[in-house]
Amino acid sequence: MGWKDTLAAADTAIKASNLDEAEKLLRQAELEKKAESMGQPETKSVDTSARLPFGDASAEPAPESTDTIAVKSWFAQKYGAVDTGVQQVATELYGRDYRHVAWAKAADFVRYIRTGQADPKLHRTLLYSPEQILEAVASGRTVAELKATQIESQDTLGGYLVPEDVRDRIVKRLVGMTIMREVAEKITTTRDRVTFPVALGGDDRYTTSVRATWVDESPTSSQAETNATFGQVTIPVHTLMAHTPVSKNLLEDSAGANAIVPFLERAFAEAIAIVEDEAFLIGDGVAKPQGVLNGNSTGGPFTYAYGAVQVVNSGGATSLTGDAFRNVPYAIASQYRQQGGIWAMARGSVRVVKTLKDGSGAYLWADRNQQLQNGQPTKLEGYDIKESEALASPTTASGTAYTANVYPVLFICRGAYLIVDRVGMDVQRYDDATTARTNSIVVVARYRVGGQVIDPWRIATMKVSA
C-alpha cells in the first residue's frame, strides 16, 4: 500500500469525522512519500512545521503537502464554499492556511475530550467560524477589533475554549428548544456587560418620540420638533455551567470518538435550554438574567423607567376566562403586535384553555381553524403557543384553579427582550478517583449569557385576579 492509498484512507477517515485516525494516516502518508522519494534527485525542501497553529501572513506560501487535499476536503465538507473576503480576513487573523488551523483546532478539541491533553497554542485560541467572520465583515467590524476579541477571550476563566462553530451549533439548537430565543433580539459580545439604547416617548401609535406633522411654509418650532429621545439599559452577562458524564469506553472507541462532539452539543444544549429559558421568563436578575416577570417595579408590577408590561386580569379570583384570553393580545399596540408574537404558558394552562366552555357547554376554541387541536400546530387566536413549566400552573395537575395574583400567561411580541451571548464558551475535563469508579469522565461547560426586557410595551401578561 503506497502513500496515495494511505492518503485516500485518511480522506475517508476525515469524511467519517474520525479526526484522530485521519491525523495518524496523514502522518503515515507523509513518511511513506518521503521513503518513496529516497534515491530520487534531491529537491529543495520547505519546513512547514510552523504552519500550525498560526502562520505568518507575509511569509511565502508553503508548498502543497500530502495532507493538503484531505484537509481541503474536510474543510469543504464542514463549511462549504468560503467567501473571498472571509478568506482574506482569516489570513490576516491566522496566517496563510486557515483551513489547517481549523483542522488542527477541531482535532485538538476531540483529543482534549478524549485524553485531557491539548496543544498549548490551540486550547486558548478563539477560532472564528467562516460564518462569524462573514457576519463581522458585514457589520463593519475591522480585523483589529476581531483580534482584540481573540485576546479578550483568552482572559476567560476555565479550560479549553471550544471551536466557535461548536458554540454556534449549541446556540442554534437552543432556538428550537426554548421560547424566548425565538422572539428575542440577540447580540454577541466579548464584554461582561452591554449598554443598550432604548427609545423613549412611544405610545399606542408610535414606537418612539419622533412625530410627523403637516406644516405650512412657516412652521412653528413645536411643529418642527421631531427629535428622538433615548434611555439606556445595562445588561450584565452571567455565567451558566452545565456538566455531563461521558463513558471512557465511548472515548476509547474510534466510532465513539467520532460521536463525542455531536453528543456534547446535544447534551449541553438540552441542559442550557431549560435553565436559561426559565431565567429569561422569571429570573430575578441575581447571578442570572432578569426575566420578563421580574422587572424593577417603580409604580406597579413589571414597570421600567422606559415603559411597562401590560397586565390584563384573568376575570376570576383563582381562574382564567375566555374573555381574558381574547383581551390579552389587544393590550399591546397594533404596531408591535403586527410584527408577530407568541403565547407562553405551562402545559397545565394550555389544558385549561382547551377545556374552556361557553354557556352551552361547547368548547370555546373547538375546531376554529384547527386551533388547539391535537396533532396540529398549537395556536390561540392565530398566535403560536409555546410551553414552559417555569410559568404558573393550576394548583392541582387536573384542576383549573390557580393561586391568586400569579401570572400564568404571557403574550410576547418580537423584539421585546434582548439576549446577549458572550463569545468563548469553554469546557473542562475531570478525571479523578470519583469518576474512575464509574468508568467515566465529567465534562463541564461554562456558557455566558445575559438578558433583559428592552421594549416592555411589546409584552402583556395575564394576572389571576377578578
Side-chain angles (χ1 to χ4, degrees), residues 1-245:
M1 178 167 143
W3 66 268
K4 292 183 180 179
D5 294 325
T6 306
L7 185 60
D11 186 49
T12 300
I14 286 173
K15 291 177 179 178
S17 299
N18 192 344
L19 299 185
D20 277 357
E21 180 65 19
E23 190 172 32
K24 293 176 184 177
L25 290 170
L26 288 173
R27 291 175 181 171
Q28 180 180 334
E30 190 74 36
L31 292 173
E32 289 173 348
K33 185 177 181 181
K34 288 180 179 179
E36 184 178 304
S37 66
M38 291 179 65
Q40 300 294 327
E42 184 177 354
T43 57
K44 185 178 179 180
S45 62
V46 178
D47 179 13
T48 61
S49 61
R51 182 180 63 241
L52 300 176
F54 296 103
D56 181 357
S58 63
E60 290 296 322
E64 215 170 70
S65 63
T66 54
D67 65 351
T68 300
I69 297 176
V71 171
K72 283 183 177 180
S73 174
W74 170 85
F75 190 87
Q77 183 183 19
K78 192 174 185 67
Y79 298 111
V82 177
D83 181 84
T84 303
V86 170
Q87 292 182 23
Q88 183 177 351
V89 173
T91 296
E92 295 187 52
L93 290 170
Y94 303 106
R96 287 279 180 189
D97 204 338
Y98 173 59
R99 296 184 188 90
H100 279 77
V101 180
W103 153 269
K105 178 75 176 181
D108 196 58
F109 178 56
V110 174
R111 185 180 302 110
Y112 172 74
I113 298 299
R114 293 187 70 185
T115 68
Q117 299 176 352
D119 187 319
K121 291 183 179 180
L122 287 169
H123 87 289
R124 300 303 294 165
T125 297
L126 177 65
L127 182 74
Y128 295 109
S129 67
E131 183 179 354
Q132 287 178 317
I133 294 176
L134 182 61
E135 290 176 353
V137 171
S139 64
R141 294 184 68 189
T142 65
V143 173
E145 289 175 322
L146 292 174
K147 286 183 176 179
T149 300
Q150 287 179 301
I151 295 172
E152 290 170 5
S153 69
Q154 293 175 1
D155 295 332
T156 304
L157 297 176
Y160 194 104
L161 273 174
V162 305
E164 278 297 284
D165 63 294
V166 173
R167 187 190 73 88
D168 280 353
R169 286 195 295 272
I170 291 176
V171 172
K172 286 177 181 177
R173 281 177 178 268
L174 297 176
V175 176
M177 302 168 65
T178 61
I179 293 175
M180 295 303 294
R181 282 190 177 271
E182 183 173 331
V183 293
E185 293 286 340
K186 295 173 283 291
I187 62 174
T188 302
T189 184
T190 61
R191 307 292 184 180
D192 288 333
R193 60 189 60 245
V194 169
T195 299
F196 196 81
V198 290
L200 303 177
D203 57 24
D204 282 354
R205 298 189 65 192
Y206 298 92
T207 60
T208 71
S209 61
V210 175
R211 302 291 185 270
T213 307
W214 294 108
V215 299
D216 55 25
E217 293 182 2
S218 302
T220 64
S221 60
S222 61
Q223 288 177 311
E225 287 178 357
T226 59
N227 295 327
T229 56
F230 293 93
Q232 290 185 333
V233 55
T234 298
I235 303 175
V237 177
H238 304 281
T239 300
L240 176 62
M241 298 183 71
H243 70 275
T244 181

Side-chain angles (χ1 to χ4, degrees), residues 258-338:
N258 297 339
I260 189 61
V261 173
F263 166 77
L264 292 176
E265 290 173 2
R266 182 174 63 255
F268 287 138
E270 289 174 355
I272 290 170
I274 295 171
V275 176
E276 76 159 22
D277 212 41
E278 180 174 351
F280 295 154
L281 288 167
I282 65 171
D284 59 11
V286 179
K288 65 176 72 68
Q290 186 181 65
V292 173
L293 294 181
N294 273 277
N296 292 321
S297 298
T298 57
F302 325 123
T303 299
Y304 300 80
Y306 42 90
V309 171
Q310 304 303 304
V311 178
V312 175
N313 287 344
S314 68
T318 60
S319 63
L320 311 183
T321 66
D323 286 347
F325 281 101
R326 292 285 182 85
N327 291 335
V328 165
Y330 298 100
I332 298 175
S334 60
Q335 69 265 27
Y336 308 121
R337 192 167 13 91
Q338 289 169 0

Side-chain angles (χ1 to χ4, degrees), residues 323-442:
D323 286 347
F325 281 101
R326 292 285 182 85
N327 291 335
V328 165
Y330 298 100
I332 298 175
S334 60
Q335 69 265 27
Y336 308 121
R337 192 167 13 91
Q338 289 169 0
Q339 297 175 17
I342 61 170
W343 296 91
M345 62 186 85
R347 70 176 185 273
S349 296
V350 176
R351 178 183 54 76
V352 169
V353 178
K354 293 185 71 169
T355 57
L356 289 174
K357 299 177 182 178
D358 62 19
S360 302
Y363 291 115
L364 292 181
W365 279 278
D367 200 26
R368 293 182 65 243
N369 298 320
Q370 300 297 326
Q371 296 191 109
L372 294 173
Q373 299 300 299
N374 290 329
Q376 300 294 330
T378 310
K379 292 180 179 291
L380 178 61
E381 293 296 301
Y383 298 99
D384 288 342
I385 297 178
K386 302 295 181 180
E387 296 182 18
S388 172
E389 298 311 305
L391 297 172
S393 284
T395 54
T396 61
S398 60
T400 59
Y402 290 78
T403 302
N405 300 319
V406 297
Y407 298 84
V409 178
L410 286 168
F411 185 83
I412 308 169
C413 292
R414 299 189 183 281
Y417 197 86
L418 178 65
I419 295 174
V420 180
D421 291 307
R422 194 184 192 281
V423 300
M425 173 186 288
D426 57 49
V427 298
Q428 291 177 303
R429 180 187 191 277
Y430 293 95
D431 186 2
D432 53 30
T434 300
T435 60
R437 287 195 291 269
T438 60
N439 191 37
S440 65
I441 66 166
V442 172

